[in-house]
Amino acid sequence: MRASRYLIATQKETPADAEIISHQLMLRAGMIRKLAAGLYTWLPMGLRTLRKVERIVREEMDKSGAQEVLMPAVQPAELWQESGRWTQYGGELLRMNDRHGREFCFGPTHEEVITDLIRNEVKSYKELPANFYQIQTKFRDERRPRFGVMRAREFIMKDAYSFHLDAESLNETYQVMHRTYCSIFDRLGLDYRPVQADSGAIGGSASHEFHVLASSGEDDIVFSTESDYAANIEKAEAVAPAGERPSPAEQMKEVATPGQRTIDAIAAFLDIDATRTVKTLLVKAEEDENGKSGLVALILRGDHTLNEIKAENLPGVAEPLTMATDEEIKRVIGCEPGSIGPVNLPVPCIVDRSAAHLADFVCGANRDDYHLTGVNWDRDAALGRVEDLRNVVEGDPSPDGKGTLEIRRGIEVGHIFKLGNKYSKAMNATVLDENGKSVVMEMGCYGVGVSRIVAASIEQNHDDKGIIWPDAIAPFEVAIVTLNAHKSPTVAEAGEKLYEQLRQAGFDVLIDDRNERPGVKFADMELIGIPHRFVVSDRGLAAGTLEYKGRRDEDKQDIPVAEALPFLI
Ligand code: ATP
Ligand code: MG
Ligand code: MG
Ligand code: MG
């Protein structure tokens, strides 16, 4: 590519609203431009890297035996109603109507669509196991889109969905995907860790996340100092004896856990498994003007639900929809509204930061017969208030008994789940087994944040001059900077010759043939992060050499013109 004919949209100034380095550098290097909150255009320079990431992901997925499909981005509401997520998914789901008034959403994920496809296409156990993947634009109406493409609203994900006759087969594919993810992130040159994770809203039994270690990460990852134990802090089990350090409730005074009676009542009402939710219940107690302790908020994990009283005390609660009577409230929480104390209960609470967005809960004020139902709860806003609550702290014993825990920040770039039959059961996706019996399939799902990886890589690979791409995903592998080429035919010719030679050898080459000062060209090539640079100058050519500098190198070196290609290989 010729820089003179290419959109080099570099900027000197650091954009004011870009908080983290990858966001700043992606803007400054002319990789992306913002259209609106969480919506970005990929400029030619950025798109080259994005496509290279995609290619590596695709190659490794193909190698694993997965089959590529491409599903629609827009999905009919009926499928989401079938799985139950139309009401559960909350504010991240972008809903819309077509001209006939039919309801749709822009897919934040594709479990429903693939399950619908496979229940129609796959009829026999002989066709299993099967794993289907796509690389597709998703939309999630993130409450706080930020950090550029790191947490965008529209972003590119590789997602895969596997189907199985039994749990054993799911287990095998899950392991294959685990290994595939390691190959992907190895090839991308990332410093990453697979960690145990919570399956959260999506449901299922086991899950691992893949985190790129970086201080700008939004997740806390805990590691053992002496073993392979690693987990997202949301998942890490506290093993420290109580009393050694402040309990989570003490860490944030206004938080307490509910009594067993409340938990049981809620569990019974909502038909959920109390043992599964107890640990992740959070109740916020607050005194009203009469000094009466009231149950203010209660968060259950997963797809369950959330009940709230005194909605005005919580941020992010949308317009109330309907009113519920005291009787109804009582039925949900098992206590009189407004007099629900005491709530200072013995069990320390553990906050599940992946607790799902929950609709359809009850809330109200500490006033008789004034309670609201169907209020949309914004989980990010709510969880933002309890961000500092942790169930483990640095120095705690590792749950596997080996060593103590360290905590680092991580960027989630991949996530694999054993879904079990959550979707296949709800949507009746069955196959006939060996005996002709109809069996509900087991499912797994596997996501990679393709566009997020570009930003995550920059978080790990940059200096004060700009980005430092690993060769594998650099927009261009080699930059040829010609000095004074418009005045020196010798330089122009030698530059062109090298350009052709390297291109023919398969390199992605950018020749900076712009009529710019050398300093400008050098600064741009460094900002853009091209890993290898040759400078062609009259002075060098007179001595039969080119100047070479690797993007990470301290020093330049002179290389005989004829050695340039062998040097790179
Ligand atoms: P996060 O915890 O960061 O919100 P998630 O757990 O909601 O991510 P998954 O549903 O597991 O995301 O989706 C699979 C992958 O898609 C994630 O591991 C991440 O790399 C990527 N991803 C999710 N949300 C975004 C986003 N808003 N912008 C860019 N990439 C995203
Ligand atoms: Mg998310
Ligand atoms: Mg997550
Ligand atoms: Mg995830």
Side-chain angles (χ1 to χ4, degrees), residues 19-30:
E19 297 165 58
I20 61 170
I21 191 73
S22 58
H23 188 194
Q24 294 168 1
L25 290 175
M26 286 182 81
L27 291 167
R28 286 191 52 212

Side-chain angles (χ1 to χ4, degrees), residues 140 142 149-152 155 157 412-415 447-449 452:
R140 295 182 182 181
E142 299 277 354
V149 298
M150 190 83 91
R151 182 166 300 284
F155 60 96
M157 194 200 290
E412 182 191 323
V413 290
H415 198 167
V448 168
R452 179 179 286 183

Side-chain angles (χ1 to χ4, degrees), residues 299-543:
I299 300 171
L300 304 169
R301 76 174 295 240
D303 292 335
H304 302 327
T305 193
L306 176 151
N307 295 280
E308 181 202 357
I309 291 185
K310 224 171 159 187
E312 65 268 32
N313 286 334
L314 292 157
V317 175
E319 279 300 296
L321 303 177
T322 51
M323 309 282 251
T325 63
D326 278 6
E327 261 329 286
E328 284 164 339
I329 298 287
K330 198 172 154 189
R331 196 156 60 90
V332 176
I333 56 177
C335 320
E336 292 292 341
S339 59
I340 307 160
V343 282
N344 49 332
L345 296 141
V347 230
C349 65
I350 294 175
V351 175
D352 177 0
R353 276 202 263 156
S354 67
H357 32 268
L358 306 153
D360 210 1
F361 57 93
V362 181
C363 71
N366 286 355
R367 255 197 286 145
D368 286 348
D369 267 331
Y370 187 76
H371 309 287
L372 312 167
T373 61
V375 173
N376 277 318
W377 168 262
D378 186 317
R379 95 184 175 99
D380 285 344
L383 295 174
R385 284 169 65 106
V386 294
E387 209 148 31
D388 293 324
L389 276 180
R390 292 170 159 198
N391 38 345
V392 297
V393 295
E394 203 143 53
D396 274 1
S398 175
D400 65 357
K402 295 176 196 151
T404 54
L405 295 178
E406 276 175 10
I407 302 182
R408 308 251 316 257
R409 301 292 278 178
I411 300 168
E412 182 191 323
V413 290
H415 198 167
I416 59 177
F417 302 81
K418 289 184 195 171
L419 291 174
N421 62 16
K422 175 173 163 152
Y423 296 91
S424 44
K425 198 169 153 197
M427 296 179 67
N428 198 29
T430 60
V431 284
L432 296 179
D433 73 6
E434 264 178 326
N435 309 313
K437 204 176 118 236
S438 172
V439 181
V440 174
M441 285 182 269
E442 292 282 316
M443 287 174 64
C445 78
Y446 318 93
V448 168
V450 173
S451 45
R452 179 179 286 183
I453 282 171
V454 177
S457 173
I458 297 173
E459 288 295 318
Q460 287 189 336
N461 299 289
H462 65 268
D463 62 13
D464 54 1
K465 297 194 187 92
I467 303 168
I468 308 176
W469 290 114
D471 287 27
I473 56 172
F476 295 96
E477 296 160 291
V478 188
I480 300 172
V481 178
T482 52
L483 302 188
N484 269 327
H486 55 292
K487 285 189 197 142
S488 162
T490 330
V491 167
E493 202 180 300
E496 286 300 319
K497 208 170 148 200
L498 181 64
Y499 177 58
E500 281 310 320
Q501 190 189 22
L502 297 183
R503 282 197 337 149
Q504 272 166 27
F507 287 98
D508 274 332
V509 191
L510 181 69
I511 180 164
D512 198 345
D513 55 349
R514 293 175 299 169
N515 189 2
E516 291 280 1
R517 283 183 293 115
V520 171
K521 295 190 188 191
F522 292 149
D524 275 352
M525 297 304 114
E526 283 173 330
L527 175 58
I528 294 165
I530 301 177
H532 308 278
R533 184 188 80 190
F534 286 108
V535 180
V536 188
S537 68
D538 277 320
R539 200 160 52 100
L541 292 176

Side-chain angles (χ1 to χ4, degrees), residues 72-89 93-98 101-109 111-113 116 119 426-427:
V74 175
Q75 310 180 7
E78 286 77 20
L79 288 181
W80 287 70
Q81 279 150 358
E82 234 187 303
S83 72
R85 289 207 291 185
W86 186 250
T87 48
Q88 289 164 1
Y89 208 87
L93 191 64
L94 178 65
R95 296 150 205 264
M96 52 195 151
N97 293 326
D98 71 3
R102 290 191 205 104
E103 289 180 301
F104 291 86
C105 64
F106 196 113
T109 177
E111 282 79 9
E112 282 80 0
V113 178
D116 177 59
R119 72 179 165 184
M427 296 179 67

